[in-house]
């Protein structure tokens, strides 16, 4: 935000379960521009338009643009780009300024680069989480194999396996 001399900036990421865009980070954005839970259900103009199209959006005069739903009197120009990785759109990076026609195509290029880098970082974070889950599963399998190999009592093996599986599988 400060590098571009924008007045405000935000990042929305998709919630994989609900499909809503959820505010993940913001700087200097007024709270009255958000619902209480900071979600944008499908259909909200600016960020949803960027997300659904997968293309950047530059608004030079937000007070007259129907794609902008928050008219807080402090924002005239807005720029938004998709956050993406490997062809998947993961969210939206946006900035705004009080001055009309403030952002240019060069600003969009910079935001696109940042959005791509964010997308790779987010995707890597998800992959690391998946890898950690798999490692926990492998560790459990190794522990169970050791127990099975060290015990001759089927009752003992069964009790230990049930106990260890409960740690791995969520249940009610």
């Amino acid at each position: 935000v400060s590098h571009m001399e924008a007045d405000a900036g935000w990042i929305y990421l998709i919630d994989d379960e609900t499909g809503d865009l959820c505010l993940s980070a913001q700087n200097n954005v007024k709270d009255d521009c958000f619902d209480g839970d900071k979600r944008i259900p499908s259909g909200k103009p600016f960020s949803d338009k960027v997300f659904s199209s997968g293309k950047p959006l530059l608004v030079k005069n937000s007070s007259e643009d129907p794609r902008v739903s928050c008219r807080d009197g402090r924002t005239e120009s807005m720029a938004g780009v998709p956050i993406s990785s490997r062809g998947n759109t993961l969210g939206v990076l946006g900035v705004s300024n009080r001055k009309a026609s403030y952002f240019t195509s060069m600003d969009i290029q910079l935001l696109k680069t940042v959005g791509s880098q964010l997308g790779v970082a987010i995707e890597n974070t998800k992959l690391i989480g998946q890898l950690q889950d798999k490692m926990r599963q492998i560790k459990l399998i190794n522990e169970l194999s050791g127990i099975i190999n060290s015990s001759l009592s089927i009752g003992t093996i069964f009790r230990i396996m049930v106990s260890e599986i409960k740690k791995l599988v969520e249940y009610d």
Side-chain angles (χ1 to χ4, degrees):
V1 173
S2 63
H3 180 71
M4 295 183 69
E5 297 180 11
D7 293 327
W10 59 91
I11 295 174
Y12 279 97
L13 297 177
I14 192 74
D15 181 332
D16 293 330
E17 292 179 18
T18 65
D20 290 345
L21 288 170
C22 300
L23 184 66
S24 296
Q26 63 92 11
N27 183 25
N28 205 26
V29 177
K30 290 183 78 173
D31 282 340
D32 57 355
C33 289
F34 304 111
D35 295 335
D37 64 357
K38 311 244 193 264
R39 291 179 176 267
I40 297 180
S42 293
K44 281 281 194 168
F46 185 81
S47 291
D48 190 54
K49 179 93 171 158
V50 173
F51 182 81
S52 60
S53 72
K55 296 180 181 176
L57 180 59
L58 180 61
V59 173
K60 295 190 180 267
N61 191 346
S62 65
S63 60
E64 297 174 4
D65 197 307
R67 298 171 295 186
V68 178
S69 60
C70 180
R71 290 180 170 66
D72 60 5
R74 299 182 328 141
T75 300
E76 276 304 315
S77 57
M78 299 172 73
V81 297
I83 297 171
S84 58
S85 175
R86 294 188 288 163
N88 296 323
T89 303
L90 307 172
V92 175
L93 169 63
V95 292
S96 66
N97 193 284
R98 291 184 178 111
K99 299 175 187 169
S101 301
Y102 184 78
F103 298 110
T104 67
S105 60
M106 293 300 292
D107 293 320
I108 290 289
Q109 289 301 321
L110 175 62
L111 287 173
K112 282 172 61 175
T113 301
V114 172
S116 294
Q117 294 297 314
L118 283 171
V120 169
I122 291 164
E123 189 71 25
N124 286 343
T125 301
K126 288 180 180 182
L127 291 172
I128 289 169
Q130 292 171 358
L131 180 62
Q132 289 171 336
D133 289 343
K134 294 294 180 194
M135 290 176 65
R136 279 192 287 277
Q137 292 172 358
I138 290 169
K139 181 181 175 191
L140 176 60
I141 290 169
N142 285 337
E143 288 174 7
L144 291 175
S145 295
I147 292 167
I148 290 170
N149 290 333
S150 69
S151 178
L152 298 176
S153 167
I154 192 73
T156 302
I157 293 171
F158 181 74
R159 280 191 302 279
I160 292 171
M161 286 184 70
V162 168
S163 171
E164 293 299 319
I165 290 171
K166 283 182 179 178
K167 294 177 188 175
L168 183 63
V169 178
E170 294 182 26
Y171 65 95
D172 289 330

